[in-house]
Amino acid sequence: MSDKARLYLFPVPMGDSPVDKVLPPVNTAIIREVKYFVVENLRSARRFLKSCDRNIDIDSLSMVELNEHTDLADVAAMLDPMARGHSIGVISEAGCPAVADPGADLVAVAQARGYEVVPLVGPSSILLSLMGSGFNGQNFAFNGYLPVDAKARGAKLKEMIRRITAEHQTQIFIETPYRNNRLIADLAERLPGDIRLCVASDITCSRQSIITRPLSQWKKTPYNYDKIPTIFLLYSQT
Amino acid sequence: MSDKARLYLFPVPMGDSPVDKVLPPVNTAIIREVKYFVVENLRSARRFLKSCDRNIDIDSLSMVELNEHTDLADVAAMLDPMARGHSIGVISEAGCPAVADPGADLVAVAQARGYEVVPLVGPSSILLSLMGSGFNGQNFAFNGYLPVDAKARGAKLKEMIRRITAEHQTQIFIETPYRNNRLIADLAERLPGDIRLCVASDITCSRQSIITRPLSQWKKTPYNYDKIPTIFLLYSQT
């Protein structure tokens, strides 16, 4: 085993944003040297590689898919080229690998085998939303999707409000995009009006918008985030 | 008021990492157009601006300091140039503005006044550590510093273990760098040996290291993170 073999985590632009807006030049320089890839989706990975370097010879590269259809038992073998000294690159469909995506399982195996893992800088809608919200960045939690079931959702919201109030912890979550408008109405209905909601949508893309308002104001103001990828953040400030 | 005035949040390289390793080219292009800055530290902001463009005319720029010594009552007035149509750039000492730094107060004022806030992509040791840890990236919390007081620290650790076990939430935190080694020994002593600890140190810099092991192994293995900026992550996987 060569100790030079590394597991590189390559972030990918989200939506229509160009590479030079969201990725440092070093990422592209490294990606040209890697011959083995584990990718969330073959077609989008090929498109991303071409956008990094249009002269890249895609057919000379080894690519394996890792996504929600992959059997967990097959993940470990994807790292086998590292035992022969080859670095591997992980490419998600959009954003940062291993944050809210199946790449984390692959990284866990690499860590267990003692390989060097190298995460590269790129766009994270969670982090960018938090920066733009004006909320507490010293203490925050990303909760993924809220429960769909009404009772479980109510309990989750109640606990999030408790952590905002008692722990000053910013609460971040997402929703299936076609339910975005309904979620905002639901939050404005259920939660105290002085709680502040930040709606961060189409992050790094052409229609980017990051708006923080008390829920009492969201209740009175028209909005439309239907089918636009959006992150939601809740916090209370005095 | 021009509706073109924006509050740009410019990430800054950490430690010795070069600009092209951690910042997209667009950041540098935007920074050249901005004439008003709110900075955490005047000297390091000047150094950063020069590293983006050595021909930048620093003396023609307006710079105000915002840091832990700033009176909160003075923060709002820092945005006054925006009312005259000028964009403002926020520059931290290192990493992403408004995440674990006083820039969040300024962003909150900008949001309250209805200005457009534009966070730019850059290095976040929290996010990069999470990517490299192999831990759950669908549900995670950043807790800032652990309490120093022994009793409060014990209670905080107990609650973090509860959230790892019951909620599958990755727990992320930091320590004053000269106490890093003591913290690892303390965690290995107090917590169950099958809990996994990721120690992510000198992120994006020349001595970068991201290592995940069960606490039972940390207890037996030598390490030295004394005075190196380090992030700690806890999780349990079965």
Side-chain angles (χ1 to χ4, degrees), chain A residues 38-41 64-68 70 75 78 102-103 105-106:
Chain A
V38 175
V39 307
E40 192 173 353
N41 177 282
V64 187
E65 267 189 339
L66 168 59
N67 51 41
E68 67 276 26
T70 309
V75 171
M78 294 177 183
D105 296 320
L106 192 74

Side-chain angles (χ1 to χ4, degrees), chain A residues 139-154:
Chain A
N139 189 352
F140 60 89
F142 175 67
N143 299 275
Y145 291 93
L146 293 191
V148 175
D149 169 71
K151 199 178 157 194
R153 176 172 289 207

Side-chain angles (χ1 to χ4, degrees), chain B residues 92-115:
Chain B
S92 300
E93 284 215 68
C96 292
V99 176
D101 104 11
D105 296 320
L106 191 75
V107 175
V109 176
Q111 285 283 4
R113 293 191 187 171
Y115 289 121

